[in-house]
Amino acid sequence: MKVLFVNTNYHFGGAARAARRIMDCVCRLGIQCQYFSNGNDINPSTADERLIVLDDFHSHSWIDKAYSWCYRKLQKAYQLFQWRHIDTAHRQYYLSDFRSEPSHRALHKIPFDILHLHWVNGQFFNLQQLRHIHKPIVWTLHDSWPFCGVCHYFLSCESYKSHCGSCPMLKPKSGSPHSRDLAYSLFEQKRKLYAHLNLHIVAPSHWMARAAQESALLGGFPISVIPNCIDVNLYRRVDYQQAAARWIPDANSKKSYILFGAVAATSDTIKGFRQLVTALRLFEQQFDCSNVELLIFGSDTPVPGLDLHIPSRYLGYVNNEADMAKLYSLAHVVVVPSQTENLCGVIMESLSCSTPVVAFNIGGNSDMIDHQQNGYLAIDEADMARGIAWCLQNNTDGHLGDNARQKVLTHFSPEVVSRQYAALYQSLLER
C-alpha cells in the first residue's frame, strides 16, 4: 500500500506537524508513505527521503522559469481584481481561492494507491487537479475551507449548510454584499468537482465532523473521526531545572508560570490574545498574582498598553519540539483562548507534558480537556480567569497533570491513531 500525503508546508504550521506525525505513525505499520509539499519551508537540516517538493517537477529551463514568472504575475493580478472591493479588515480570518503554482502534472508522476490531503492552501494546490484522480482520496480537515466558499473559519456563519454567498467575510467597503460573490462561485466549483471524487473525509474532532456532516458540500460523503497524534516520547514532562535552564535560568520555583502561544500569537485575532488579556485583568482583580508570570511564545515583541500587572516574557517563535516540551514542562498552566479550534495542537502537546490547560469550551477542545479533571473548559473571559486560578490551586500534587498525560496516552498516541488510519486505508482499497 502506497499513500501520498499532500500538505502545503513540511515544517511550518499546525497542519504540517499533524500531517508529519500521522505519516510517521502509519509508516511504522509498514505502509509506504511519501509527502508532497511546496518545499518553501525546507531547510538544509531537513533529511526525509519520503519528501517530494513541487520544484522537483520543474524543468528549470529559462522557458519554464519565464512561464512560471508570468503565471504568478497573472495569478496575482487576477486575485487583486477578484478581491478589489473587499474590506481588508476581514483578511484576518484568512481567505483562500483556487489559485496555485503550476503543478506540472505532479500527481500523475508520483505512484500512490491512496491520496491523503491535508492543508493545501497558500497557492500550492489547485483542487481542480483532483478531477483526474480516480483513486481513493482521504481528506483530513484542519479547518473549514474544504466545505466553505472562501473562509477557513466559519465562526457564527451557517451558510455552509446550504450555499455560501453574500459572504460576511467578503463584505464590500461600501454597500451590501452581492449574493453571487466569490464565495458563491468557489462553492459552486467545489460542488461540481466533489461530485466526481472518490472522497472520504476525516475529521480530527467530533465538532469538525458534525460541521462537515451538516455542510452541503461534504454531508453526502463518508466521514470518520480520527484524531491527530503526538509523539508521546518527545512530548513528556521534563525535569523542572532542565526546563528552566533552557528558558528562564533565573526561574523561581515558588513562582507560577502561565503559558500562552501560537503562530503569530499576539497578532492573529483568532488565537484570542485580546481575550487572554481580559481574563488576566480579571484574574489580577480576584486572586493573588504576586508570584505569577506570563510566558508568551510565537511573538518576540511586547505589546504596548496592555495594562497588566503580571510581568510578561516574550520568547519568540519556537521551532524545536524538544524545546517546546521543556517550555510546557516549565509552565504550571497553559491557556488557549482561541475563538475557534479544531483539535488544538498546543492543548494536546501541553497535556502530553502533564501540564493542565484552560481553554474556551468551543470546537474540539472538549475532545481533549475533561473539565476539572485535566484542565478547565471556560464559558467566557471571567470563567477563564477562574479556571486559571482553579488549575494553579488544584494541581499542587500533580494529579491534574497525571490525568492529562493519561488522556493523551489513551486517545492520541501514535499506536492508537495509526491503527485507525490503517483500517481506513485498507477499507478504501477493498471497496
Side-chain angles (χ1 to χ4, degrees):
M1 183 191 308
K2 296 180 179 179
V3 180
L4 178 62
F5 286 74
V6 181
N7 193 80
T8 300
N9 298 316
Y10 181 80
H11 289 292
F12 186 77
R17 289 193 298 274
R20 288 200 326 271
R21 290 170 182 171
I22 294 168
M23 179 177 68
D24 289 341
C25 75
V26 299
C27 280
R28 295 190 193 108
L29 297 179
I31 297 173
Q32 297 182 50
C33 301
Q34 291 182 296
Y35 189 110
F36 181 45
S37 82
N38 64 15
N40 291 343
D41 62 340
I42 303 302
N43 55 56
S45 65
T46 302
D48 190 341
E49 60 184 12
R50 301 166 301 181
L51 176 62
I52 303 171
V53 298
L54 187 59
D55 195 52
D56 293 340
F57 300 92
H58 292 179
S59 70
H60 300 292
S61 68
W62 70 269
I63 296 178
D64 186 65
K65 291 179 180 179
Y67 170 78
S68 296
W69 184 86
C70 293
Y71 187 90
R72 285 193 295 270
K73 287 290 185 180
L74 289 172
Q75 286 268 22
K76 181 65 175 178
Y78 182 58
Q79 187 258 357
L80 291 174
F81 174 77
Q82 283 190 306
W83 303 77
R84 66 193 184 282
H85 297 308
I86 298 169
D87 185 351
T88 54
H90 293 299
R91 298 292 183 89
Q92 63 185 317
Y93 298 111
Y94 204 89
L95 312 176
S96 294
D97 51 29
F98 272 22
R99 289 172 301 127
S100 68
E101 292 283 326
S103 67
H104 300 281
R105 295 179 56 83
L107 293 185
H108 297 276
K109 300 173 183 178
I110 306 172
F112 60 84
D113 300 308
I114 293 175
L115 185 67
H116 192 160
L117 302 178
H118 287 267
W119 196 85
V120 294
N121 301 101
Q123 301 182 35
F124 164 57
F125 189 90
N126 191 319
L127 290 187
Q128 297 293 355
Q129 299 177 62
L130 300 178
R131 187 177 295 275
H132 306 292
I133 301 299
H134 304 296
K135 296 178 180 179
I137 300 172
V138 174
W139 199 345
T140 295
L141 304 181
H142 295 283
D143 57 33
S144 58
W145 187 82
F147 57 84
C148 293
V150 295
C151 62
H152 291 255
Y153 309 107
F154 59 81
L155 301 178
S156 60
C157 178
E158 296 189 346
S159 294
Y160 69 91
K161 295 181 180 180
S162 53
H163 200 301
C164 287
S166 301
C167 180
M169 301 299 177
L170 302 181
K171 185 178 180 180
K173 297 175 183 177
S174 61
S176 59
H178 194 279
S179 61
R180 298 207 170 192
D181 55 12
L182 184 59
Y184 180 96
S185 172
L186 290 175
F187 194 96
E188 271 296 292
Q189 291 181 57
K190 291 178 183 179
R191 184 183 63 80
K192 294 175 182 177
L193 170 64
Y194 292 172
H196 299 278
L197 305 183
N198 180 4
L199 188 60
H200 190 105
I201 302 301
V202 171
S205 68
H206 289 85
W207 167 80
M208 182 61 81
R210 288 192 295 271
Q213 189 66 64
E214 293 172 349
S215 73
L217 287 177
L218 297 183
F221 292 101
I223 300 174
S224 301
V225 179
I226 304 178
N228 299 328
C229 62
I230 188 171
D231 185 340
V232 295
N233 294 317
L234 176 59
Y235 285 94
R236 63 186 307 156
R237 180 153 289 275
V238 176
D239 175 75
Y240 183 85
Q241 295 302 326
Q242 183 182 354
R246 168 60 182 89
W247 287 108
I248 307 177
D250 61 340
N252 185 342
S253 60
K254 296 182 180 179
K255 183 175 286 189
S256 295
Y257 293 102
I258 300 171
L259 179 64
F260 161 76
V263 176
T266 58
S267 58
D268 185 345
T269 57
I270 289 293
K271 298 305 179 183
F273 182 66
R274 180 178 62 82
Q275 286 75 15
L276 172 67
V277 171
T278 300
L280 289 177
R281 287 173 182 161
L282 295 170
F283 178 74
E284 290 176 335
Q285 295 170 13
Q286 301 171 41
F287 304 98
D288 180 12
C289 300
S290 57
N291 284 314
V292 174
E293 185 169 345
L294 175 64
L295 307 179
I296 300 174
F297 68 90
S299 175
D300 55 10
T301 305
V303 177
L306 293 184
D307 192 27
L308 283 177
H309 300 293
I310 298 174
S312 304
R313 294 192 193 221
Y314 292 78
L315 305 175
Y317 181 71
V318 185
N319 56 14
N320 182 286
E321 293 189 283
D323 284 342
M324 275 306 312
K326 293 174 184 175
L327 188 52
Y328 290 124
S329 299
L330 182 63
H332 293 81
V333 63
V334 170
V335 184
V336 178
S338 305
Q339 300 305 286
T340 183
E341 284 288 357
N342 182 4
L343 196 71
C344 176
V346 168
I347 293 178
M348 189 183 296
E349 291 167 1
S350 178
L351 297 180
S352 189
C353 292
S354 302
T355 303
V357 180
V358 178
F360 289 127
N361 190 10
I362 57 163
N365 290 351
S366 60
D367 283 13
M368 295 177 287
I369 299 175
D370 299 316
H371 185 58
Q372 295 188 330
Q373 297 298 314
N374 60 9
Y376 194 99
L377 291 169
I379 58 175
D380 55 24
E381 287 92 337
D383 198 28
M384 178 163 281
R386 289 189 290 269
I388 294 170
W390 188 90
C391 285
L392 293 177
Q393 295 166 359
N394 288 274
N395 194 38
T396 54
D397 61 354
H399 79 279
L400 294 179
D402 293 339
N403 292 342
R405 175 71 175 176
Q406 190 57 49
K407 177 77 173 189
V408 173
L409 293 175
T410 303
H411 297 278
F412 310 114
S413 70
E415 293 76 17
V416 171
V417 173
S418 62
R419 288 196 295 269
Q420 296 178 66
Y421 267 112
L424 172 60
Y425 293 155
Q426 192 61 44
S427 69
L428 294 178
L429 293 180
E430 291 175 353
R431 288 180 183 175

